Amino acid sequence: MSAPRLTFENIAAVAEPPAAAVAARGWEESTFYSANSLDRDSGAMYIMSGVASHWDGGDEAARRGGPKVPNSSRDDVGAYAVLCGNWGGTRESRELARHIDVDLKTTPGTLLLLQEAHAGAAATLMAAPSADSGARGGGPEPQGARGGVPSQRPEFQFLVCRGQEQCNTLLVAGRRSHVAKLTELLWLRSNDGTFTANKRKVVAQSRLLICEAEFRRPQAGHTAIVVADAHMHYASAKKATGTAAGHAQWFRDLGDELLKYRVRILGGDFNMSCFVVAEKLREKGMEVALGAFTGFSKGGSAYADSVGVWILGPVASMETLHSAEDFETRTLPMRKQGQGYQLSAYLPKGEPGALESMR
């Protein structure tokens, strides 16, 4: 019963249902997770539904101009974007570091879930926009838009919560224009066991940061949303010798905490366990949908990044850019380079198992 997919051809015919109807669509089947969801009353399915809320009428030329905001005065309509990625710590190159800072300050994301973020990243996000905000940032726009010149996205200021440690760690941020308050609910660093690396014993530590973002005005039916940012250690993620028990315990603890704090969006770097996250959490009775990940083809092999975003609870509709079939047929974007690993490297059983989990 999901809403019709909105296209330029049917935009005039797709009626916008009232917010209550959109919310109700996501709650026709009661489940263990939906009964314990933060979003049970507000109906969070509005964020993933295909309704026409962010389009207005008008002539064809206006519609082809892209999304509009005709409902800006309504309290039940809004939109936010989630950016999730492993920031990879600091950079030796000043120019590259400056470029990364610009990416952070001008991101279209309103909620950021970063892994391996250094203290400087937090300071950059919390700083007020620079005097020349809007004069830089972003990649080149399409030819014809402005002659292919670099876009001029404005800078933004963020509220930030960062893991309670001095090293590169988890970071959750909310754009101040959208988020009135960001509260840390849980900071967890687990010991998953001891493994051998470079002939020495190393403790594998995984991390979890859960925060609640309170919006300045309702966004997609929410007045607030709870998000979780996770980074599973690479050794326990692949069940390296000495970490198998920690691997199982991490997922048990992760599921318990997600339920306890009624998390709606989970993002993180799970390394070689990226494609078993959903099935592990479903063992807790949750509804889980893999909402975002990166796939590409390189040298005739299918690759995927180990960072993903998962929606916890019912989802009215969702469309991913890549399917399991795309990985099987290798009909993926081609890259000479790219961050990620061959699909055969992922659990549960190499490429066939990862594909099954993807489905």
Side-chain angles (χ1 to χ4, degrees), residues 201-219:
K201 296 294 184 179
V202 181
V203 176
Q205 293 185 317
S206 296
R207 294 165 169 83
L208 177 65
L209 178 61
I210 298 178
C211 299
E212 181 180 47
E214 297 181 23
F215 293 118
R216 293 189 179 278
R217 60 181 299 272
Q219 301 291 321

Side-chain angles (χ1 to χ4, degrees), residues 24-43:
R25 184 179 293 116
W27 301 100
E28 291 167 342
E29 295 184 6
S30 178
T31 66
F32 174 81
Y33 189 81
S34 63
N36 293 276
S37 172
L38 171 71
D39 311 304
R40 189 179 185 199
D41 294 329
S42 63

Side-chain angles (χ1 to χ4, degrees), residues 47-308:
I47 58 172
M48 303 307 295
S49 65
V51 299
S53 302
H54 303 292
W55 295 80
D56 63 3
D59 57 30
E60 183 71 12
R63 290 200 296 273
R64 290 191 179 278
K68 311 297 181 183
V69 285
N71 302 308
S72 58
S73 61
R74 286 175 52 177
D75 289 337
D76 60 333
V77 176
Y80 59 90
V82 176
L83 169 70
C84 181
N86 188 316
W87 221 242
T90 56
R91 298 293 189 274
E92 292 184 3
S93 167
R94 287 187 177 182
E95 182 59 27
L96 181 57
R98 189 198 71 84
H99 179 85
I100 291 174
D101 285 348
V102 170
D103 280 348
L104 273 178
K105 293 290 285 183
T106 64
T107 174
T110 45
L111 293 174
L112 312 185
L113 309 176
L114 305 182
Q115 304 85 50
E116 294 193 57
H118 57 95
T124 295
L125 287 167
M126 290 187 291
S130 60
D132 60 343
S133 174
R136 57 183 181 173
E141 292 184 346
Q143 283 294 114
R146 292 175 51 218
V149 301
S151 60
Q152 296 183 355
R153 293 200 308 256
E155 292 185 355
F156 299 101
Q157 188 175 21
F158 291 80
L159 299 173
V160 174
C161 288
R162 188 170 172 270
Q164 299 172 22
E165 54 187 351
Q166 298 301 313
C167 59
N168 298 334
T169 188
L170 300 176
L171 183 152
V172 174
R175 190 191 293 179
R176 293 178 67 103
S177 59
H178 284 63
V179 177
K181 183 179 181 181
L182 187 66
T183 305
E184 177 185 311
L185 302 179
L186 175 73
W187 159 247
L188 175 66
R189 184 173 58 197
S190 66
N191 291 339
D192 303 338
T194 303
F195 68 103
T196 302
N198 298 322
K199 297 182 179 181
R200 63 187 184 93
K201 296 294 184 179
V202 181
V203 176
Q205 293 185 317
S206 296
R207 294 165 169 83
L208 177 65
L209 178 61
I210 298 178
C211 299
E212 181 180 47
E214 297 181 23
F215 293 118
R216 293 189 179 278
R217 60 181 299 272
Q219 301 291 321
H222 297 93
T223 57
I225 188 168
V226 179
V227 299
D229 187 14
H231 190 184
M232 190 174 187
H233 194 277
Y234 74 88
S236 51
K238 65 179 181 180
K239 294 184 179 180
T241 301
T243 65
H247 173 99
Q249 187 62 50
W250 159 256
F251 277 111
R252 285 195 294 269
D253 292 343
L254 176 65
D256 289 343
E257 301 298 352
L258 297 178
L259 279 172
K260 177 180 178 180
Y261 291 100
R262 301 178 179 180
V263 172
R264 179 60 169 147
I265 296 177
L266 165 67
D269 187 345
F270 284 84
N271 282 291
M272 298 301 94
S273 283
C274 182
F275 294 108
V276 300
V277 172
E279 66 179 72
K280 294 293 185 181
L281 297 182
R282 286 177 187 136
E283 293 174 2
K284 292 284 186 178
M286 300 184 198
E287 291 187 56
V288 185
L290 176 57
F293 68 103
T294 299
F296 59 96
S297 181
K298 183 173 71 173
S301 298
Y303 282 73
D305 194 12
S306 58
V307 173

